[in-house]
Structures are given as structure tokens and as C-alpha cells.
Amino acid sequence: MNYENEKELIKQAIDGDRKAFNTIVNKYKKRVFYTAMKMVRNKDDAYDITQDVFISAYKNLGTFKGDSSLFTWLYRITVNKSIKFTTRDKYRNMLPVNEIGNDEKSKLRPDMDYRQKQLQNRLDSAVIELPPQQRAVFTMRFYDGMPHNEIARILNRSEGATKANYFQAIRKLRESLSDLFPINANSSITDEVQK
Amino acid sequence: MNCKDYQDKILELLDNGIDPLSDKSVSSHLSECTDCEAEYQRLSRLFNLLEDDKGLEVEGSHLDNLVVDVNRAIDREKKIIHFNPQYIISFITAAAAAIMIAFIGTSNFSGSGLLSNNITWDNILSISHYGFPVEQIIESALPDSTLRDAFYSEIGDKGLNEMENYLIKTSDYNNLINTLDESELEYLNSKIQAEMKNIS
């Protein structure tokens, strides 16, 4: 079936056309997964969140007013579900996560060598240790390149507050990974990780 | 501007993808201040590290099953009746009775015809007021004692035990749901909802 535009696709999906809904899933699944993955730093959890996002979307598509793009709507669901996921006790108890995602990363980034994987794990750990709101703002801004005013709108907070969150997140990351950034050293980051 | 202001500005510039050294005032301050120069170096390297992390490529195959999984989950949720604690027992016993029919229908016991020809959905709803014991289910399914005695003598103790085990095995909620086909579930659902209306 050809859909004239996204509005038509949404209408068909609301009317119960599963094929139209599946088209929406296929169109946005990578972007939703990417955001979830950057938030929770674990492939399986990101997959579960992605699945959950589309189930919610299916159930609530009728409430989508069209005052934003469908992706923005899905994105908001993704961020909220990821925040909720990372505030669960079970997730918090996973910390510290020095060993998290080693195998997962290998599957997702077969191009990585051992040192890069170590570096990746250090970064994942540092990101996971950020408070959920800071992590959300950081992910939205840095990985998804979202303007601060849009982040504020999605999280229903002031722009000043989300901007402050973002800079706090960057500073925390810098502190957590400070040993990777030796001053006046010419050695590369991966060399530092090896030490 | 003090050092904190400069460090904030360095962060702001990096956030906007601008090299802080391209800003004359920042560049000039960095040439004189080792602390801010160090901070600039750390932040620059952090941003470089983060830039590399942007490159996560999601392999297509990794999300291949997503559509199937999402659809399965949606269908499963559609099947699940949202229970009120008041009638969860009713539902389970009624569903158990429905499964009993399925068991009888596929078993080799000669009593199967007797039961399946005499049991009705109304019987099943009345069963919902009983507990799980198979005798009570049969009693409700076959209120006529002559028919019931005939049924017992035909299936014997062995048949009764098997039926009980079958009921226990399938009494798990999810198994029950998955055992029923769409029409059974729809009928059961509507009957239970009607019953709930009566209760309320």
C-alpha cells in the first residue's frame, strides 16, 4: 500500500491497519533504538525499550495530535521510558558497570579493537553514572543534536534548567574520565586506557 | 572575565562545535593561564572521545525481529483481559473448565462424548463459583447425578487423575490464555463481563 504522507499513514494505523503501523515501526526503529541505547548503554535493554515505545505508540496513536512530528512524539516516549528505566532500583543496582556491555559492544561495533572497547566501556560507565535527567539531556543534546529549547520543551522544563543539566553532565564526565586526559601529555587516550 | 567565565565560554563554544582557540579573547587568556589551558585540553579531548562514540552503527539485522516482536506483544496484550481481583478466580476456573472440555475432546476416554455433549457455556459460568477441584467442576458441568455417575464409571480413576493433572498443569494464567482460541476467549470475556455487571 502506498501512503500519500505521514498523516495518512498515521490515520491508517489508528484505524487498525497493522501494515501502516509496521511501516511506522520500520521507519523509526533505528532512531528510537539509537536514543535508547545511548541512554541505557545496553543492547538488550535498549531493544526492550524500543519495543515498549512502539507498543505504547500503538495503544496511544489516537492521542497523537499532530502538533509535532511523529518522530518527536516517539522521541518523547523513548526519552521518558529510558529515564523511567534507569531510575528503577534494578538498574541502579547494576552500578558500577565496568564490565557492562563488553560482548554487546563487540556485536554492535565489530570494527573496534580491544583498546577501543576498553575505552568504550569506560565511557559507558561514566555516562551510566550520570543522574537520569542529566543523562537524558546529555543524550538529547550531544547524540541527537537537539537544540536546548527543544530539549526543554520535550522534558517540560525551562531551557535554563536543561542547559545547566547538560553542562553539569559534561563536567561530570570530564571528572570521571580525567585520568584519560593527562595534561601536557602527548600520549593518546587509548594509551592511557591501557595503563 | 575571570577563569570560571572563560571555562564556561570554552564549554559553550565546544558545545556549539566551535574551536575555542578561534575566539581571540579565549585564545589570549589560554596563552597566559595554565589552569584554563589544562581545562581546555581536557574538555577538547573529552569532546573528541564523545564524537567517536556518536558513530554507533545499528546493524539492520539487530532490529530485524522488532516488528514481529512488537506485533506479538500487541496481540498478546489484546488477548489479556484486564482483571479485577473480584473475578480473577471466576475467570481461571471458567477457563479451566473450558480446557477440561478441550482435554475431554482430545482424550481417548469414552466419557468424553458424554461430557462434551452435555456441558454448556452456562455450566461453565456456574463452575466459576466453584474452586479448582475437578470433582466440583464435573459436578457443575453435569448436575444430573445419573449422567455424572455414568461419566465417572466410564473414565475411571485413571481418567479422573489425568484430568486433574491436566487442570493443574494448565492452571497457570498465561498458559490458560494461550490455550484458548480467539472465539473461546471472546465468548468467555463477554460472559465474564456480563457476570461482573450482575455482581456490581
Side-chain angles (χ1 to χ4, degrees), chain A residues 24-38:
Chain A
I24 292 172
V25 177
N26 277 323
K27 188 174 178 185
Y28 294 114
K29 64 184 181 184
K30 276 192 181 184
R31 291 169 77 185
V32 168
F33 177 81
Y34 179 83
T35 299
M37 180 71 190
K38 288 301 177 196

Side-chain angles (χ1 to χ4, degrees), chain A residues 50-64:
Chain A
T50 306
Q51 189 176 322
D52 211 17
V53 166
F54 286 111
I55 293 167
S56 284
Y58 181 83
K59 288 195 278 195
N60 298 304
L61 207 50
T63 66
F64 174 63

Side-chain angles (χ1 to χ4, degrees), chain A residues 133-151:
Chain A
Q133 284 287 344
Q134 283 183 22
R135 182 161 3 109
V137 173
F138 167 69
T139 303
M140 295 163 90
R141 173 66 183 159
F142 192 82
Y143 294 104
D144 296 316
M146 204 165 272
H148 287 292
N149 60 352
E150 181 71 2
I151 295 171

Side-chain angles (χ1 to χ4, degrees), chain B residues 19-196:
Chain B
D19 179 2
L21 296 178
S22 67
D23 184 290
K24 278 185 184 170
S25 67
V26 173
S27 175
S28 168
H29 178 73
L30 292 184
S31 65
E32 296 165 356
C33 177
T34 50
D35 284 351
C36 288
E37 164 66 14
E39 178 69 357
Y40 160 69
Q41 280 196 27
R42 283 192 209 99
L43 286 173
S44 293
R45 296 185 78 174
L46 173 65
F47 271 81
N48 285 339
L49 172 64
L50 292 171
E51 277 299 330
D52 289 343
D53 187 47
K54 273 185 180 174
L56 171 72
E57 283 298 321
V58 182
E59 288 175 19
S61 60
H62 180 62
L63 294 171
D64 275 356
N65 293 329
L66 187 78
V67 171
V68 175
D69 287 345
V70 167
N71 279 277
R72 241 183 231 153
I74 289 169
D75 290 339
R76 199 164 47 236
E77 283 208 11
K78 269 186 168 180
K79 268 186 147 188
I80 293 171
I81 299 163
H82 294 283
F83 287 111
N84 176 322
Q86 266 186 299
Y87 65 84
I88 188 163
I89 299 297
S90 300
F91 175 80
I92 289 175
T93 51
I99 289 163
M100 191 179 79
I101 295 175
F103 167 75
I104 293 292
T106 55
S107 75
N108 295 321
F109 295 106
S110 54
S112 60
L114 186 65
L115 184 60
S116 57
N117 288 335
N118 286 283
I119 199 165
T120 66
W121 278 108
D122 288 335
N123 291 131
I124 291 173
L125 285 177
S126 69
I127 289 167
S128 69
H129 295 294
Y130 288 81
F132 262 110
V134 69
E135 290 86 355
Q136 285 184 344
I137 290 175
I138 292 170
E139 185 180 339
S140 184
L142 295 171
D144 184 310
S145 61
T146 314
L147 279 178
R148 201 164 56 244
D149 288 344
F151 176 75
Y152 276 130
S153 66
E154 285 183 41
I155 68 163
D157 286 346
K158 192 181 169 205
L160 206 59
N161 285 341
E162 274 193 33
M163 194 187 293
E164 193 149 24
N165 289 336
Y166 188 80
L167 284 172
I168 291 166
K169 194 172 70 184
T170 53
S171 63
D172 172 67
Y173 169 70
N174 288 323
N175 283 341
L176 283 175
I177 298 286
N178 290 330
T179 310
L180 302 178
D181 68 25
E182 288 291 336
S183 59
E184 283 173 331
L185 195 68
E186 199 178 320
Y187 190 89
L188 201 58
N189 201 3
S190 67
K191 284 288 186 186
I192 287 173
Q193 279 169 2
E195 193 186 15
M196 279 313 295

Side-chain angles (χ1 to χ4, degrees), chain A residues 73-88:
Chain A
W73 187 71
L74 289 170
Y75 188 83
R76 186 179 287 127
I77 299 174
T78 308
V79 170
N80 287 333
K81 284 197 180 292
S82 299
I83 291 175
K84 200 173 169 189
F85 180 87
T86 54
T87 50
R88 291 188 328 193

